[in-house]
Amino acid sequence: MQNRYAMLTVDTEALPARAAVDHVRRLVWGEHVAGRAGIREMCAIGTEFSAPHVFFVDMCGDQLYPGEMAEVVRWLDGQGQDVQLHLHPEILPASFWEQHGLSQRPRYMNEYGDAARAGFVIQFFSERLRVLTGRPVQAYRAGSFRWNGDIIRALGRAGIPLSFNNSMRAHGLGRSPHAEPTNRPYAWSNGVIEVPVTERYYPADPQRGKSEKWVSLMFPQSSYFQYTAPQLPWWRRWLPGPTDLQVFLLHSWSLLHWDDNHHAIHLGEQRQEEYRQLVARIVKDYDVITTTDLLDLMKRRKIKVRQVVSLQQADPVGTVPVPMTGHSSSGF
């Protein structure tokens, strides 16, 4: 296996709308009356195949559910997992903002127009995560991929070298003022390295009534990103260059299902087995790496960063997306 790498990234979060009660227990630990399917089970599958995960933990949940997310971080860190920063500041209680003399508005990070606000949020929560793990934060992914140039600048000032925010799919939904149509890592003009989630572009198909779209490489799988039999896994058919890095997107609740109220529920072991089969396939084609591995590979130029993008392109000037027409996955 040469120059083929994969990252299993898990947004670890307990958003209020995704459960009625016991949010961290149900959405992160995956504990339900019918069974359990959460981060423990993901870690067990990873351990079985020597495939580490990168857990992006929503540290805003540390404020909303005092002590509970800290327990999650400590457990993951104790298991030797790669724990990095994730933020959904829209869920923070009013008391948090009042305590720090700030307004609750704007709620979403892509709407921040104040570099000081962006810097405060990144610095405050990265320091909290550092205290829990005893190590500097190496990577950040914004909740729902909501970010702008001020967020990337704040990462640079905080000494966080990696951003996992680039998503054309999220950009098309108006969640960022800019995104690059690429799956390859690139550098921002302040030196922060951007690591895009792997995505594919599908042009419009008027005859079938389908509009153009970008689809992320996620689990559970999309019909657009099939990696189960009878088809060959798509990564065996579409390798875009001599250095191949695929970034998978999961959530702490990815082994669960949703009920009619869009609340997480446990419906058996099938999804866990599907994920186990997926990881078994991935390790046959790729070396599964952590953020530390990624930084080392970049330092040794096993993974090369050839493109530099000006941060001015990502300045917070609104959230109207750039039209996607004309982009092609063949250029990745």
Side-chain angles (χ1 to χ4, degrees):
M1 195 182 308
Q2 184 176 7
N3 292 344
R4 294 186 185 179
Y5 307 103
M7 303 189 80
L8 305 177
T9 67
V10 185
D11 290 1
T12 306
E13 58 192 37
L15 301 184
R18 296 191 181 276
V21 294
D22 298 330
H23 291 75
V24 175
R25 182 170 65 83
R26 295 188 180 189
L27 296 166
V28 177
W29 298 113
E31 295 176 356
H32 296 258
V33 173
R36 192 181 76 185
I39 60 172
R40 294 186 188 93
E41 287 65 39
M42 287 185 182
C43 289
I45 291 170
T47 298
E48 180 181 355
F49 295 101
S50 299
H53 290 72
V54 182
F55 287 91
F56 285 97
V57 179
D58 179 15
M59 292 306 296
C60 294
D62 187 47
Q63 295 287 320
L64 195 60
Y65 314 108
E68 294 185 67
M69 290 303 276
E71 180 186 358
V72 169
V73 171
R74 292 189 186 100
W75 186 86
L76 288 169
D77 186 58
Q79 296 294 309
Q81 299 294 324
D82 187 359
V83 184
Q84 302 299 332
L85 185 64
H86 187 55
L87 294 176
H88 276 279
E90 70 273 13
I91 73 170
L92 287 167
S95 58
F96 173 83
W97 299 109
E98 293 169 0
Q99 178 185 353
H100 295 283
L102 296 170
S103 170
Q104 285 185 272
R105 305 290 179 179
R107 293 181 62 205
Y108 297 106
M109 294 190 82
N110 59 306
E111 298 172 354
Y112 286 11
D114 181 350
R117 181 185 182 90
F120 165 74
V121 171
I122 293 295
Q123 187 65 50
F124 181 91
F125 289 105
S126 64
E127 177 61 16
R128 174 60 174 151
L129 183 56
R130 185 197 67 78
V131 168
L132 290 171
T133 65
R135 289 182 298 278
V137 176
Q138 296 191 137
Y140 169 69
R141 175 180 284 155
S144 302
F145 295 92
R146 293 183 179 273
W147 60 278
N148 60 35
D150 283 339
I151 306 303
I152 306 302
R153 291 184 180 94
L155 296 181
R157 290 193 298 271
I160 298 174
L162 299 173
S163 165
F164 280 69
N165 290 298
N166 192 91
S167 166
M168 287 297 295
R169 179 179 63 87
H171 175 58
L173 295 172
R175 295 176 182 174
S176 66
H178 181 76
E180 290 289 317
T182 182
N183 284 331
R184 292 193 174 114
Y186 60 89
W188 290 106
S189 51
N190 70 339
V192 171
I193 302 298
E194 186 65 52
V195 186
V197 63
T198 299
E199 294 181 327
R200 295 184 77 177
Y201 174 71
Y202 288 84
D205 186 350
Q207 292 185 342
R208 299 175 63 188
K210 295 183 179 294
S211 58
E212 62 179 355
K213 68 190 303 180
W214 289 81
V215 183
S216 302
L217 180 57
M218 302 175 65
F219 182 87
Q221 71 174 338
S222 160
S223 59
Y224 289 88
F225 254 138
Q226 294 184 16
Y227 39 73
T228 55
Q231 290 188 332
L232 282 174
W234 70 267
W235 54 77
R236 292 183 181 174
R237 295 180 282 110
W238 183 63
L239 300 176
T243 298
D244 190 33
L245 174 66
Q246 311 297 349
V247 179
F248 287 75
L249 175 62
L250 297 95
H251 291 80
S252 52
W253 35 257
S254 287
L255 304 183
L256 300 170
H257 293 78
W258 304 108
D259 65 14
D260 293 340
N261 295 317
H262 302 288
H263 291 162
I265 56 174
H266 185 279
L267 290 181
E269 310 301 321
Q270 179 180 355
R271 189 155 283 177
Q272 289 184 56
E273 182 55 29
E274 289 173 356
Y275 185 56
R276 184 181 178 279
Q277 292 175 12
L278 168 62
V279 175
R281 286 173 177 262
I282 291 172
V283 297
K284 291 180 180 179
D285 291 289
Y286 288 88
D287 289 325
V288 180
I289 63 174
T290 65
T291 57
T292 297
D293 297 328
L294 177 60
L295 288 167
D296 179 66
L297 288 164
M298 289 178 174
K299 183 178 180 180
R300 294 190 289 122
R301 296 184 62 77
K302 292 289 187 178
I303 295 179
K304 297 178 182 179
V305 179
R306 296 184 173 90
Q307 180 184 9
V308 177
V309 177
S310 171
L311 267 171
Q312 291 183 341
Q313 295 191 59
D315 279 340
V317 293
T319 57
V320 178
V322 176
M324 295 187 293
T325 303
H327 294 312
S328 170
S329 62
S330 64
F332 284 8

